[in-house]
Amino acid sequence: MPDTTLLVLDAEPLPRLGKLTGRVRIEHADASTLADRLPAADVLLVWDFSSHAVRHAWPGAGPRPRWVHTASAGVDHLMCPELAASDTVVTNARGVFDQPIAEYVAALVLAMAKDLPSTWDLQRRREWRHRESQRVAGTRACVVGSGPIGRAIVKSLKALGITTALVGRTPRTGIHGPDELDRLMARADWVVSAAPLTEATHGMFDARRFGMMQPSARFINVGRGQLVVEDALVEALSKRWIAGAALDVFQHEPLGPESPLWEVPGLIVSPHMSGDTIGWRDELGTQFVELFERWEAGKPLANVVDKKRGYVPGH
């Protein structure tokens, strides 16, 4: 019988972990059973990355997993003071979502510049209305969040001929610091949010920042919903302070049918899908198995999160 216990916080469909058969004892939990099973686990796989159960179930003193892996880029859903203070290693799914999200952002930029939502709406109404669209080459973008996803977005936008500035936590070669964000946003035609959620970034896109954007500018959020003050964005769009926006993440998910965001003029709403391409769950499972094999062999793990900062350092 294997000595190591792997506990999986379940979500459907379950991860494919057949390669670990016979090498580890695999157990499963949901939000109601997680607290009871955590102390006996050596490793926790947070497969249900939309759940906040780990925050509430994480044990204080006493036995706890030595390693936690979340099948997501963000870790804000599981971090709590007890986990941050412990010696448990936390890793994330860095690398799986970079290119898909970059492609999604490029698609949103082109869709808004070429007014594709109106084209589809007019087609449904069988209405022929000629319009002029915007050329994206030669426009300016400000991408906030200098991790792998942000860098992939920059690469995709540059391929479209867009002059792009990248803003990160600290200034360094090719990356602007936070003190330059206001200036860069005020000049940008496209502002793209791809930052991790931390105390410093919570609510960073507020009425003041939407107010400093150009009337012709558009805003895109593929980071975390809590980066944006949604009421401020609704006001900015309704009063035409900015020309449009696209949100793939929200303060509360799923977005309920009663939410006013569905009908805000100039807003594209998508259900947290920018990184989810066909086969993405298999990629996440393969990544975890590879990390487990390193952990089992006593080798250093990749994608280790700085638990106090809330992301993998080196961004």
Side-chain angles (χ1 to χ4, degrees):
M1 191 72 176
D3 295 329
T4 301
T5 297
L6 165 63
L7 182 63
V8 182
L9 180 58
D10 287 341
E12 293 291 341
L14 295 176
R16 296 183 182 182
L17 302 175
K19 202 172 178 184
L20 301 181
T21 301
R23 298 162 59 182
V24 60
R25 183 189 303 108
I26 300 177
E27 297 183 354
H28 298 269
D30 58 21
S32 65
T33 59
L34 183 63
D36 290 336
R37 298 184 179 181
L38 267 177
D42 298 291
V43 180
L44 172 65
L45 169 58
V46 184
W47 190 247
D48 185 358
F49 51 80
S50 65
S51 171
H52 290 80
V54 176
R55 279 184 178 177
H56 306 295
W58 190 259
R64 56 184 176 264
R66 291 174 282 159
W67 168 34
V68 174
H69 177 77
T70 178
S72 61
V75 299
D76 52 278
H77 59 291
L78 58 88
M79 293 306 298
C80 60
E82 294 80 10
L83 175 54
S86 73
D87 58 0
T88 297
V89 176
V90 176
T91 57
N92 71 355
R94 185 186 194 194
V96 172
F97 301 106
D98 308 354
Q99 187 58 33
I101 292 178
E103 292 175 1
Y104 200 87
V105 169
L108 287 171
V109 166
L110 289 171
M112 287 190 280
K114 304 306 177 184
D115 196 23
L116 294 185
S118 293
T119 297
W120 294 324
D121 184 52
L122 290 166
Q123 180 180 344
R124 285 192 295 269
R125 289 154 45 187
R126 301 186 177 216
E127 182 176 342
W128 181 280
R129 187 190 302 170
H130 180 269
R131 284 123 45 233
E132 295 178 345
S133 64
Q134 180 183 3
R135 181 182 296 191
V136 298
T139 60
R140 295 175 181 269
C142 173
V143 178
V144 185
S146 59
I149 292 173
R151 295 197 298 270
I153 291 171
V154 167
K155 185 176 180 180
S156 291
L157 296 184
K158 284 184 174 179
L160 296 175
I162 299 173
T163 300
T164 308
L166 182 61
V167 178
R169 181 174 179 268
T170 54
R172 51 202 184 276
T173 303
I175 299 175
H176 299 270
D179 59 336
E180 296 188 73
L181 176 57
D182 290 354
R183 175 181 65 83
L184 293 169
M185 280 187 63
R187 300 173 59 195
D189 301 289
W190 312 96
V191 175
V192 183
S193 164
L197 179 60
T198 67
E199 289 185 8
T201 62
H202 192 285
M204 67 185 300
F205 296 103
D206 55 12
R208 184 184 70 83
R209 286 208 159 110
F210 290 128
M212 70 177 53
M213 290 173 63
Q214 300 183 76
S216 59
R218 277 110 168 181
F219 175 78
I220 297 171
N221 186 21
V222 290
R224 306 298 287 174
Q226 293 78 9
L227 300 175
V228 177
V229 179
E230 290 178 353
D231 288 345
L233 177 59
V234 169
E235 182 180 21
L237 289 167
S238 300
K239 293 183 176 179
R240 299 185 178 179
W241 294 350
I242 60 176
L247 299 179
D248 186 57
V249 287
F250 302 86
Q251 292 179 5
H252 303 287
E253 297 181 7
L255 195 65
E258 75 288 347
S259 173
L261 292 174
W262 293 108
E263 297 183 356
V264 175
L267 177 61
I268 296 174
V269 170
S270 59
H272 204 150
M273 58 179 283
S274 60
D276 302 346
T277 52
I278 295 169
W280 66 285
R281 291 185 178 87
D282 289 339
E283 288 186 56
L284 289 171
T286 298
Q287 181 188 56
F288 174 73
V289 169
E290 292 173 352
L291 285 171
F292 183 89
E293 290 175 339
R294 293 187 63 86
W295 183 81
E296 186 180 44
K299 296 179 180 179
L301 286 168
N303 293 3
V304 175
V305 173
D306 182 321
K307 293 183 291 183
K308 299 200 181 300
R309 293 184 182 180
Y311 52 85
V312 178
H315 286 24

